[in-house]
Amino acid sequence: MLRQPSNEEGTALIAAPKTGVKIGSEISASFNFINSIIGSGIIGLPYALSQAGLPFGLLLLVVVAFITDYSIILLIKGGNLSGTNSYQSLVQSTFGIPGFLVLSILQFLYPFIAMISYNITAGDTLTKVFQRIPGVGPGHILAERHFVILLTTVVFTLPLSLYRNIERLGKVSFLSMVLTFFILIVVIIRAATLGPQIHPTENAWAFVKPNAVQAAAIMSFAFICHHNSFLIYGSLEQPTLAKWSQITHISVGSALIIGAVFAVSGYTTFTGYTQGDIFENYCKDDNLATFGRFCFGVSIITTFPLECFVTREVVANVFFSRNLSKVEHMGMTSAIVTACTAMSLVFDCLGVVLELNGALSATPLIFIIPSACFLKLSPGRWFQGENLVASVLVLIGFFVMITGLIMTGLYPQDCSHGVEMFYCADANISVTTPPA
C-alpha cells in the first residue's frame, strides 16, 4: 500500500541502530561517498571524452563535478528548510504525492540500472582475468560471463547487500578505493607504453565533437550520488551542514581528480577506438591490464551493496509503514539482487546502459529535482541570488535529459563485447612489456 514517508522513516535503515552501536564517522562517510561516486561509471569516462572531444570533454567533466557538488549541498539545505531527512520525504513535502512518486521511480531506476552495469562489468572483466589462469581457455566455465555473474552474485554481492547498516561497509569502501588507485596506475602506465604504438584516429584531438550531450549523460551517471546522500549524511555522528559541505567537497573533488586522470589516460591510449568499457580495449594477453581488470572487478563487487541499500530503502518507503523485519529484509534484498542479475545476463553493452541511465535517471536526480525543491522552499524570486543558479540548473537538466535520450536513440554505441581489438594482432605491439 502506498504511503507518505515520515521524517523518521526516511532514514530508518541508518537511524535505528541498537544501543551502543556507533552509527558512523566522517572518515567512513567519505569512503562510502567516494566509493558511491566511483562505481562502474568511471570506466566509461574515456568513452565520454571520445564522444565530446578531449578539451571540451575535460571542461564538461569539471562542470558536471561542480554541479554535482553544488546540488548535493542544495539537497541537504532543502532538507533543513523542509525539516525532512530523506530525499523522498523532501520531495513529498515540497511537491506532494506526484513528486514523491516521480522521485521514487527515479531513485529506484538509477541504482537498479547501476547494479546491472556493475554485473555487466564484473562479467566482462573477470572472465578475462580467469582466462589468464593456466588451463582456463575460452570454452572453460570460468570464461563464461553468465556463470561469473552468477558466481559473484551468490558469493559476494548478495551477502554484502544483506547488511542492514551502511556504516558497516566503510572498510569495504576503503578497500574499493585502494583498488581504484591500482586501476588508475595501470591505465596511466598503458597510456605511456601502449598509446604511442596505436595510431590516433581522425579528429582524435578535436576540441569538441557532436555527441557532447551523450558524454554529459555518461558523466552524470559517473558522478551521481544524490540517491544515497541522505543515507550517508545520516550516518554522521553529529550531522551539520558545514561538516557535510566539507565531506562533499573532499569526496567530489577526489572523484573529479581520479576520474579526469582515468579519462585522459584511457582516451589518449585508444582515441576513437575507445569502448564504453575501457578494459574491452586492452588485449587479452596483457598481464598488466589483467591485473587492472581484477582490481576493477573486485571494486565493482564492493560498490554493488551501496546501490542495493538505496534501492531497498526506496521500495520500503513506498510500500511499508515500518522498519522491515529480518525476513522481509532478506526477501526484498534477494528479490532486488535476483532481478538485477537476471537483467545483466541478458544485456552486455555497457556504453548504452551508461548513456540511458545517465540521461533518464542521473540527470533529473542531479540537475532538476534538488534545484526545483530548493527553489520552491527558498524565499525570494527565482532570479535572485542562489535561486538564479538553481533555476539555470533546472533548465540545463531538462536540456541534457531530453537531448541525451534522443541522441542515444539515434546514435547508439557499437559494442565489440569480447572481441579482440585489431591492434592486438599486430606483431609490432608488445602489450606485456614496455616498448624498447
PDB file of all heavy atoms in Angstrom, residues 102-123:
ATOM      1  N   VAL A 102       7.331  10.328  -8.614  1.00  0.00           N
ATOM      2  CA  VAL A 102       8.337  10.521  -9.663  1.00  0.00           C
ATOM      3  C   VAL A 102       9.734  10.270  -9.119  1.00  0.00           C
ATOM      4  O   VAL A 102      10.544   9.559  -9.730  1.00  0.00           O
ATOM      5  CB  VAL A 102       8.236  11.942 -10.263  1.00  0.00           C
ATOM      6  CG1 VAL A 102       9.431  12.224 -11.175  1.00  0.00           C
ATOM      7  CG2 VAL A 102       6.936  12.110 -11.037  1.00  0.00           C
ATOM      8  N   LEU A 103      10.030  10.845  -7.962  1.00  0.00           N
ATOM      9  CA  LEU A 103      11.351  10.644  -7.365  1.00  0.00           C
ATOM     10  C   LEU A 103      11.578   9.186  -7.010  1.00  0.00           C
ATOM     11  O   LEU A 103      12.679   8.645  -7.221  1.00  0.00           O
ATOM     12  CB  LEU A 103      11.498  11.504  -6.108  1.00  0.00           C
ATOM     13  CG  LEU A 103      12.842  11.308  -5.389  1.00  0.00           C
ATOM     14  CD1 LEU A 103      13.975  11.926  -6.197  1.00  0.00           C
ATOM     15  CD2 LEU A 103      12.815  11.872  -3.985  1.00  0.00           C
ATOM     16  N   SER A 104      10.573   8.538  -6.464  1.00  0.00           N
ATOM     17  CA  SER A 104      10.716   7.137  -6.079  1.00  0.00           C
ATOM     18  C   SER A 104      11.064   6.270  -7.280  1.00  0.00           C
ATOM     19  O   SER A 104      11.911   5.378  -7.203  1.00  0.00           O
ATOM     20  CB  SER A 104       9.434   6.629  -5.412  1.00  0.00           C
ATOM     21  OG  SER A 104       9.183   7.319  -4.208  1.00  0.00           O
ATOM     22  N   ILE A 105      10.423   6.560  -8.406  1.00  0.00           N
ATOM     23  CA  ILE A 105      10.719   5.806  -9.629  1.00  0.00           C
ATOM     24  C   ILE A 105      12.166   6.045 -10.064  1.00  0.00           C
ATOM     25  O   ILE A 105      12.899   5.105 -10.389  1.00  0.00           O
ATOM     26  CB  ILE A 105       9.741   6.201 -10.749  1.00  0.00           C
ATOM     27  CG1 ILE A 105       8.330   5.724 -10.405  1.00  0.00           C
ATOM     28  CG2 ILE A 105      10.190   5.607 -12.091  1.00  0.00           C
ATOM     29  CD1 ILE A 105       7.263   6.252 -11.348  1.00  0.00           C
ATOM     30  N   LEU A 106      12.583   7.322 -10.061  1.00  0.00           N
ATOM     31  CA  LEU A 106      13.953   7.649 -10.468  1.00  0.00           C
ATOM     32  C   LEU A 106      14.974   7.078  -9.491  1.00  0.00           C
ATOM     33  O   LEU A 106      16.020   6.555  -9.899  1.00  0.00           O
ATOM     34  CB  LEU A 106      14.125   9.166 -10.566  1.00  0.00           C
ATOM     35  CG  LEU A 106      13.359   9.867 -11.692  1.00  0.00           C
ATOM     36  CD1 LEU A 106      13.507  11.373 -11.567  1.00  0.00           C
ATOM     37  CD2 LEU A 106      13.857   9.389 -13.049  1.00  0.00           C
ATOM     38  N   GLN A 107      14.681   7.188  -8.188  1.00  0.00           N
ATOM     39  CA  GLN A 107      15.598   6.673  -7.179  1.00  0.00           C
ATOM     40  C   GLN A 107      15.706   5.163  -7.233  1.00  0.00           C
ATOM     41  O   GLN A 107      16.732   4.596  -6.849  1.00  0.00           O
ATOM     42  CB  GLN A 107      15.150   7.107  -5.778  1.00  0.00           C
ATOM     43  CG  GLN A 107      15.685   8.456  -5.368  1.00  0.00           C
ATOM     44  CD  GLN A 107      15.697   8.594  -3.854  1.00  0.00           C
ATOM     45  OE1 GLN A 107      14.667   8.435  -3.208  1.00  0.00           O
ATOM     46  NE2 GLN A 107      16.851   8.896  -3.301  1.00  0.00           N
ATOM     47  N   PHE A 108      14.648   4.516  -7.686  1.00  0.00           N
ATOM     48  CA  PHE A 108      14.719   3.072  -7.863  1.00  0.00           C
ATOM     49  C   PHE A 108      15.466   2.717  -9.144  1.00  0.00           C
ATOM     50  O   PHE A 108      16.321   1.838  -9.154  1.00  0.00           O
ATOM     51  CB  PHE A 108      13.311   2.471  -7.905  1.00  0.00           C
ATOM     52  CG  PHE A 108      13.300   0.992  -8.193  1.00  0.00           C
ATOM     53  CD1 PHE A 108      13.476   0.079  -7.171  1.00  0.00           C
ATOM     54  CD2 PHE A 108      13.147   0.520  -9.492  1.00  0.00           C
ATOM     55  CE1 PHE A 108      13.482  -1.289  -7.427  1.00  0.00           C
ATOM     56  CE2 PHE A 108      13.147  -0.834  -9.759  1.00  0.00           C
ATOM     57  CZ  PHE A 108      13.320  -1.744  -8.724  1.00  0.00           C
ATOM     58  N   LEU A 109      15.150   3.429 -10.231  1.00  0.00           N
ATOM     59  CA  LEU A 109      15.740   3.109 -11.523  1.00  0.00           C
ATOM     60  C   LEU A 109      17.245   3.297 -11.540  1.00  0.00           C
ATOM     61  O   LEU A 109      17.980   2.451 -12.062  1.00  0.00           O
ATOM     62  CB  LEU A 109      15.115   3.974 -12.618  1.00  0.00           C
ATOM     63  CG  LEU A 109      13.750   3.558 -13.145  1.00  0.00           C
ATOM     64  CD1 LEU A 109      13.258   4.554 -14.185  1.00  0.00           C
ATOM     65  CD2 LEU A 109      13.809   2.153 -13.738  1.00  0.00           C
ATOM     66  N   TYR A 110      17.714   4.435 -10.976  1.00  0.00           N
ATOM     67  CA  TYR A 110      19.148   4.704 -11.079  1.00  0.00           C
ATOM     68  C   TYR A 110      20.003   3.617 -10.429  1.00  0.00           C
ATOM     69  O   TYR A 110      20.849   3.014 -11.090  1.00  0.00           O
ATOM     70  CB  TYR A 110      19.527   6.077 -10.495  1.00  0.00           C
ATOM     71  CG  TYR A 110      21.028   6.210 -10.475  1.00  0.00           C
ATOM     72  CD1 TYR A 110      21.716   6.520 -11.638  1.00  0.00           C
ATOM     73  CD2 TYR A 110      21.756   5.938  -9.319  1.00  0.00           C
ATOM     74  CE1 TYR A 110      23.090   6.573 -11.655  1.00  0.00           C
ATOM     75  CE2 TYR A 110      23.131   5.987  -9.332  1.00  0.00           C
ATOM     76  CZ  TYR A 110      23.801   6.307 -10.502  1.00  0.00           C
ATOM     77  OH  TYR A 110      25.162   6.344 -10.519  1.00  0.00           O
ATOM     78  N   PRO A 111      19.845   3.339  -9.121  1.00  0.00           N
ATOM     79  CA  PRO A 111      20.698   2.305  -8.530  1.00  0.00           C
ATOM     80  C   PRO A 111      20.435   0.920  -9.095  1.00  0.00           C
ATOM     81  O   PRO A 111      21.343   0.087  -9.172  1.00  0.00           O
ATOM     82  CB  PRO A 111      20.376   2.374  -7.037  1.00  0.00           C
ATOM     83  CG  PRO A 111      19.028   3.001  -6.951  1.00  0.00           C
ATOM     84  CD  PRO A 111      18.948   3.941  -8.119  1.00  0.00           C
ATOM     85  N   PHE A 112      19.178   0.662  -9.501  1.00  0.00           N
ATOM     86  CA  PHE A 112      18.859  -0.640 -10.072  1.00  0.00           C
ATOM     87  C   PHE A 112      19.631  -0.856 -11.377  1.00  0.00           C
ATOM     88  O   PHE A 112      20.256  -1.899 -11.587  1.00  0.00           O
ATOM     89  CB  PHE A 112      17.355  -0.746 -10.313  1.00  0.00           C
ATOM     90  CG  PHE A 112      16.903  -2.102 -10.796  1.00  0.00           C
ATOM     91  CD1 PHE A 112      16.698  -3.132  -9.900  1.00  0.00           C
ATOM     92  CD2 PHE A 112      16.694  -2.341 -12.149  1.00  0.00           C
ATOM     93  CE1 PHE A 112      16.285  -4.392 -10.337  1.00  0.00           C
ATOM     94  CE2 PHE A 112      16.280  -3.581 -12.596  1.00  0.00           C
ATOM     95  CZ  PHE A 112      16.081  -4.614 -11.688  1.00  0.00           C
ATOM     96  N   ILE A 113      19.593   0.148 -12.274  1.00  0.00           N
ATOM     97  CA  ILE A 113      20.335   0.044 -13.526  1.00  0.00           C
ATOM     98  C   ILE A 113      21.837   0.063 -13.260  1.00  0.00           C
ATOM     99  O   ILE A 113      22.609  -0.610 -13.958  1.00  0.00           O
ATOM    100  CB  ILE A 113      19.932   1.176 -14.494  1.00  0.00           C
ATOM    101  CG1 ILE A 113      18.435   1.088 -14.818  1.00  0.00           C
ATOM    102  CG2 ILE A 113      20.741   1.115 -15.778  1.00  0.00           C
ATOM    103  CD1 ILE A 113      17.929   2.225 -15.692  1.00  0.00           C
ATOM    104  N   ALA A 114      22.251   0.822 -12.241  1.00  0.00           N
ATOM    105  CA  ALA A 114      23.673   0.839 -11.886  1.00  0.00           C
ATOM    106  C   ALA A 114      24.144  -0.550 -11.469  1.00  0.00           C
ATOM    107  O   ALA A 114      25.231  -0.998 -11.860  1.00  0.00           O
ATOM    108  CB  ALA A 114      23.918   1.841 -10.754  1.00  0.00           C
ATOM    109  N   MET A 115      23.328  -1.256 -10.695  1.00  0.00           N
ATOM    110  CA  MET A 115      23.706  -2.617 -10.288  1.00  0.00           C
ATOM    111  C   MET A 115      23.787  -3.554 -11.489  1.00  0.00           C
ATOM    112  O   MET A 115      24.637  -4.449 -11.533  1.00  0.00           O
ATOM    113  CB  MET A 115      22.702  -3.143  -9.252  1.00  0.00           C
ATOM    114  CG  MET A 115      22.851  -2.515  -7.881  1.00  0.00           C
ATOM    115  SD  MET A 115      21.818  -3.285  -6.610  1.00  0.00           S
ATOM    116  CE  MET A 115      20.201  -2.691  -7.078  1.00  0.00           C
ATOM    117  N   ILE A 116      22.914  -3.335 -12.473  1.00  0.00           N
ATOM    118  CA  ILE A 116      23.002  -4.119 -13.705  1.00  0.00           C
ATOM    119  C   ILE A 116      24.339  -3.851 -14.396  1.00  0.00           C
ATOM    120  O   ILE A 116      25.022  -4.774 -14.854  1.00  0.00           O
ATOM    121  CB  ILE A 116      21.832  -3.777 -14.653  1.00  0.00           C
ATOM    122  CG1 ILE A 116      20.503  -4.211 -14.029  1.00  0.00           C
ATOM    123  CG2 ILE A 116      22.030  -4.437 -16.018  1.00  0.00           C
ATOM    124  CD1 ILE A 116      19.286  -3.753 -14.822  1.00  0.00           C
ATOM    125  N   SER A 117      24.727  -2.574 -14.455  1.00  0.00           N
ATOM    126  CA  SER A 117      26.005  -2.228 -15.091  1.00  0.00           C
ATOM    127  C   SER A 117      27.183  -2.814 -14.312  1.00  0.00           C
ATOM    128  O   SER A 117      28.190  -3.204 -14.895  1.00  0.00           O
ATOM    129  CB  SER A 117      26.144  -0.700 -15.193  1.00  0.00           C
ATOM    130  OG  SER A 117      26.402  -0.109 -13.940  1.00  0.00           O
ATOM    131  N   TYR A 118      27.055  -2.890 -12.976  1.00  0.00           N
ATOM    132  CA  TYR A 118      28.128  -3.483 -12.173  1.00  0.00           C
ATOM    133  C   TYR A 118      28.286  -4.964 -12.517  1.00  0.00           C
ATOM    134  O   TYR A 118      29.412  -5.477 -12.636  1.00  0.00           O
ATOM    135  CB  TYR A 118      27.832  -3.330 -10.683  1.00  0.00           C
ATOM    136  CG  TYR A 118      27.843  -1.910 -10.178  1.00  0.00           C
ATOM    137  CD1 TYR A 118      27.325  -1.587  -8.931  1.00  0.00           C
ATOM    138  CD2 TYR A 118      28.352  -0.870 -10.951  1.00  0.00           C
ATOM    139  CE1 TYR A 118      27.328  -0.280  -8.462  1.00  0.00           C
ATOM    140  CE2 TYR A 118      28.353   0.432 -10.497  1.00  0.00           C
ATOM    141  CZ  TYR A 118      27.843   0.714  -9.250  1.00  0.00           C
ATOM    142  OH  TYR A 118      27.842   2.002  -8.791  1.00  0.00           O
ATOM    143  N   ASN A 119      27.170  -5.653 -12.658  1.00  0.00           N
ATOM    144  CA  ASN A 119      27.233  -7.069 -13.014  1.00  0.00           C
ATOM    145  C   ASN A 119      27.816  -7.269 -14.408  1.00  0.00           C
ATOM    146  O   ASN A 119      28.603  -8.196 -14.639  1.00  0.00           O
ATOM    147  CB  ASN A 119      25.844  -7.705 -12.938  1.00  0.00           C
ATOM    148  CG  ASN A 119      25.453  -8.090 -11.526  1.00  0.00           C
ATOM    149  OD1 ASN A 119      26.290  -8.247 -10.654  1.00  0.00           O
ATOM    150  ND2 ASN A 119      24.162  -8.240 -11.294  1.00  0.00           N
ATOM    151  N   ILE A 120      27.409  -6.413 -15.354  1.00  0.00           N
ATOM    152  CA  ILE A 120      27.960  -6.492 -16.707  1.00  0.00           C
ATOM    153  C   ILE A 120      29.469  -6.300 -16.670  1.00  0.00           C
ATOM    154  O   ILE A 120      30.230  -7.050 -17.304  1.00  0.00           O
ATOM    155  CB  ILE A 120      27.309  -5.431 -17.622  1.00  0.00           C
ATOM    156  CG1 ILE A 120      25.828  -5.760 -17.858  1.00  0.00           C
ATOM    157  CG2 ILE A 120      28.051  -5.333 -18.956  1.00  0.00           C
ATOM    158  CD1 ILE A 120      25.082  -4.688 -18.621  1.00  0.00           C
ATOM    159  N   THR A 121      29.908  -5.309 -15.909  1.00  0.00           N
ATOM    160  CA  THR A 121      31.342  -5.029 -15.796  1.00  0.00           C
ATOM    161  C   THR A 121      32.080  -6.194 -15.158  1.00  0.00           C
ATOM    162  O   THR A 121      33.159  -6.586 -15.624  1.00  0.00           O
ATOM    163  CB  THR A 121      31.567  -3.755 -14.967  1.00  0.00           C
ATOM    164  OG1 THR A 121      30.842  -2.672 -15.558  1.00  0.00           O
ATOM    165  CG2 THR A 121      33.037  -3.408 -14.906  1.00  0.00           C
ATOM    166  N   ALA A 122      31.516  -6.747 -14.095  1.00  0.00           N
ATOM    167  CA  ALA A 122      32.158  -7.886 -13.426  1.00  0.00           C
ATOM    168  C   ALA A 122      32.280  -9.067 -14.374  1.00  0.00           C
ATOM    169  O   ALA A 122      33.317  -9.741 -14.441  1.00  0.00           O
ATOM    170  CB  ALA A 122      31.364  -8.278 -12.185  1.00  0.00           C
ATOM    171  N   GLY A 123      31.211  -9.317 -15.141  1.00  0.00           N
ATOM    172  CA  GLY A 123      31.255 -10.417 -16.095  1.00  0.00           C
ATOM    173  C   GLY A 123      32.286 -10.197 -17.182  1.00  0.00           C
ATOM    174  O   GLY A 123      33.023 -11.116 -17.560  1.00  0.00           O
TER     175      GLY A 123
END
